[in-house]
């Protein structure tokens, strides 16, 4: 597990301002403040779902402000499907599930671009079903373990 070198991601390729502009464009948000609120809320919620190397690696490739939002929440042991994630975040914020789904899609589309395909695949492998769609990816069926 530790014998494979990790890429040096000490300096993010994307700045927080660039990330906010991407999310603002994707989500058609009227203001930078509303965009930043969506980014911090969604990344905080995602931080409650991710653990281990995937959480660390994602935080390393995000801009510092986004990484702090991701890691500000302690991971929650209760697994939630993608739809459960949206409902939980709606309940926590008082927003409608439709608004949360919109925010999640806009923010996670930017995260997908920043993380890249390899890290995204690892993240989706860790999360329960339904998250691929939130990241703007096709939801592929996972093979069932063979019965012995």
């Amino acid at each position: 597990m530790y014998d494979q070198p990790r890429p040096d991601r000490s300096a993010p390729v994307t700045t927080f301002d660039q990330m906010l502009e991407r999310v603002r464009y994707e989500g058609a948000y009227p203001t930078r403040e509303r965009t930043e609120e969506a980014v911090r809320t969604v990344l905080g919620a995602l931080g409650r779902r991710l653990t281990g190397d995937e959480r660390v690696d994602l935080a390393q490739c995000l801009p510092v402000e986004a990484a702090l939002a991701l890691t500000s929440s302690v991971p929650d042991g209760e697994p939630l499907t993608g739809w459960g994630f949206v409902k939980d975040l709606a309940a926590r914020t008082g927003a409608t599930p439709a608004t949360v789904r919109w925010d999640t899609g806009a923010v996670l589309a930017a995260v997908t671009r920043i993380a890249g395909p390899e890290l995204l695949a690892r993240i989706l492998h860790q999360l329960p079903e339904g998250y691929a769609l939130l990241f703007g990816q096709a939801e592929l069926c996972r093979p069932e373990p063979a019965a012995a």
Side-chain angles (χ1 to χ4, degrees), residues 16 30 50-51 56 130:
F16 191 58
L50 284 180
T51 60
V56 171

Side-chain angles (χ1 to χ4, degrees), residues 124-140:
L124 291 176
H125 184 73
Q126 182 186 110
L127 296 169
E129 67 181 33
Y131 282 86
L133 294 173
L134 297 177
F135 281 91
Q137 305 295 303
E139 182 77 38
L140 303 176

Side-chain angles (χ1 to χ4, degrees), residues 44 60 113 121 129:
Q60 284 180 337
R113 286 191 177 94
E129 67 181 33

Side-chain angles (χ1 to χ4, degrees), residues 29 34 38 42 86 89-90 93-106:
Y29 294 109
R34 174 64 182 97
V42 171
V86 169
L89 190 52
T93 62
T96 66
T99 300
V100 170
R101 175 61 183 94
W102 184 269
D103 291 348
T104 302

Side-chain angles (χ1 to χ4, degrees), residues 12-98:
V13 177
T14 303
T15 68
F16 191 58
D17 286 336
Q18 290 169 329
M19 182 180 181
L20 288 178
E21 284 307 310
R22 168 73 62 191
V23 173
R24 187 171 180 187
Y25 176 79
E26 291 283 341
Y29 294 109
T31 64
R32 177 186 162 93
E33 291 75 24
R34 174 64 182 97
T35 307
E36 190 169 342
E37 176 188 344
V39 167
R40 293 185 188 282
T41 302
V42 171
L43 288 178
L46 182 62
R48 285 192 293 278
R49 302 289 138 222
L50 284 180
T51 60
D53 289 343
E54 290 74 22
R55 179 182 168 104
V56 171
D57 291 348
L58 181 57
Q60 284 180 337
C61 62
L62 290 173
V64 172
E65 299 88 341
L68 290 172
L70 178 79
T71 58
S72 67
S73 301
V74 175
D76 185 351
E78 178 189 350
L80 291 176
T81 64
W83 177 237
F85 175 86
V86 169
K87 291 191 311 187
D88 179 64
L89 190 52
R92 288 175 186 266
T93 62
T96 66

Side-chain angles (χ1 to χ4, degrees), residues 144-148:
E144 295 294 323

